[in-house]
Amino acid sequence: MPLPLALSGLYTYPIKSARGVALDHSRVDLFGLDLDRRWMVVDASGRQVTQRDFPRLGLVGVELTPGGLRVTAPGLPPLDVPREPGGPPRLVHIFHQAVQALAVGGEAAEWWSAYLGTRAALVFFPEEAERRMNPRFGTARIGFADGNPLHLVHEASVTDLNARLRDPVTPERFRPNLVVRGGAPYEEDGWRRIRVGSLEFDVVEPCARCSVLNVSDGRMGAEPLRTLAGYRRRGRLVEFGQNLVHTARGEVALGDPLTVLRRQEGN
């Protein structure tokens, strides 16, 4: 008999495309999990820099500190990033959207430029900045996330994928915020509203996977996206995991039970 559904993993990604931080519990605030995708690396023109173009970003570690972040990368000394950046406003672009961000002052730009081998800088998404998810799915505000406040992956679905792969992957490979244990593979496809602990979430759209999924140890490969495309393709998209919108602020923690409040008709 399958185990009851419960939260088994919780991750925030303070710097877009850098490594995540595993948490025991987290606040769910205006943009999603606390600090999730509030910082982003940009190039000289102010456009986003991600693992799609720089797989080495996957080697950048992030640690939460009382004052902000400590960032580490091979060959460089640690970089301390303050919670409140000291730089001026800067217009940046993410997926063709213009956002008024704040530049992170100090040595951050030199550090990122040295690591990537090209001119780069770090910016911060302030609360007053305005960016919203795709209006087809809702009106929630988002920071530097690709398109939705939160992302959920089911352990059972990852296990099913691993049965098809030569080299298995972990749920963390999918860069989820929430990882769920229990139940059956791909049952999350039919969820439309869930409760985790005391908070409710709308399940708004499947996650269309991109090449970042193939980055491992700072290098771009072909798997697991190639295998996923063989059985999870929906039209032009390869889907795995679900994107969520929170309906209130609060807190979630490992072990919180997950209850499915509404399913798609026929599921």
Side-chain angles (χ1 to χ4, degrees):
M1 184 174 180
L3 294 171
L5 293 163
L7 191 64
S8 60
L10 190 58
Y11 301 90
T12 189
Y13 304 84
I15 301 176
K16 184 177 183 65
S17 260
R19 286 180 179 171
V21 179
L23 305 169
D24 294 325
H25 59 88
S26 176
R27 289 189 297 112
V28 179
D29 61 17
L30 181 63
F31 301 113
L33 291 192
D34 186 33
L35 299 182
D36 192 50
R37 276 91 170 188
R38 295 296 296 277
W39 287 266
M40 181 174 73
V41 184
V42 296
D43 64 16
S45 68
R47 297 193 178 278
Q48 66 188 33
V49 171
T50 73
Q51 290 185 34
R52 296 172 180 87
D53 301 307
F54 290 89
R56 278 168 50 82
L57 282 169
L59 300 177
V60 176
V62 179
E63 176 188 347
L64 304 182
T65 66
L69 312 175
R70 172 157 285 193
V71 188
T72 58
L76 288 176
L79 172 71
D80 288 317
V81 176
R83 176 67 186 259
E84 298 297 330
R90 179 175 182 182
L91 190 67
V92 300
H93 293 83
I94 173 171
F95 298 117
H96 308 292
Q97 292 177 292
V99 177
Q100 192 67 54
L102 294 176
V104 177
E107 60 186 15
E110 293 180 9
W111 193 95
W112 285 101
S113 299
Y115 182 64
L116 296 177
T118 187
R119 188 177 164 197
L122 187 66
V123 297
F124 178 75
F125 195 101
E127 281 206 9
E128 60 270 20
E130 182 68 24
R131 183 171 177 252
R132 294 190 181 269
M133 63 185 291
N134 188 328
R136 289 176 53 206
F137 304 109
T139 60
R141 292 177 64 189
I142 53 176
F144 288 130
D146 276 8
N148 294 274
L150 296 136
H151 176 47
L152 176 148
V153 164
H154 197 315
E155 282 189 9
S157 301
V158 177
T159 299
D160 180 81
L161 167 63
N162 282 335
R164 309 162 191 260
L165 293 173
R166 185 182 64 180
D167 299 313
V169 296
T170 65
E172 292 85 351
R173 184 73 167 265
F174 296 86
R175 300 180 65 79
N177 296 116
L178 309 178
V179 180
V180 178
R181 175 179 296 156
Y186 310 111
E187 68 171 279
E188 68 275 16
D189 291 348
W191 297 347
R192 290 299 171 263
R193 192 176 180 94
I194 61 175
R195 181 188 298 119
V196 180
S198 62
L199 288 184
E200 295 186 7
F201 302 83
D202 288 324
V203 184
V204 293
E205 63 167 331
C207 183
R209 310 315 309 201
C210 70
S211 60
V212 170
L213 184 59
N214 289 337
V215 175
S216 177
D217 296 326
R219 296 186 296 273
M220 182 72 73
E223 293 287 6
L225 192 57
R226 180 168 56 191
T227 294
L228 274 176
Y231 74 105
R232 293 289 297 179
R233 184 177 291 280
R234 305 292 184 269
R236 293 181 300 171
L237 304 178
V238 178
E239 298 174 350
F240 191 95
Q242 296 292 324
N243 291 317
L244 314 179
V245 174
H246 50 301
T247 62
R249 303 189 195 193
E251 187 164 306
V252 290
L254 294 183
D256 278 351
L258 185 150
T259 303
V260 181
L261 302 177
R262 187 171 72 249
R263 299 177 187 271
Q264 181 179 332
E265 231 173 278
N267 282 274

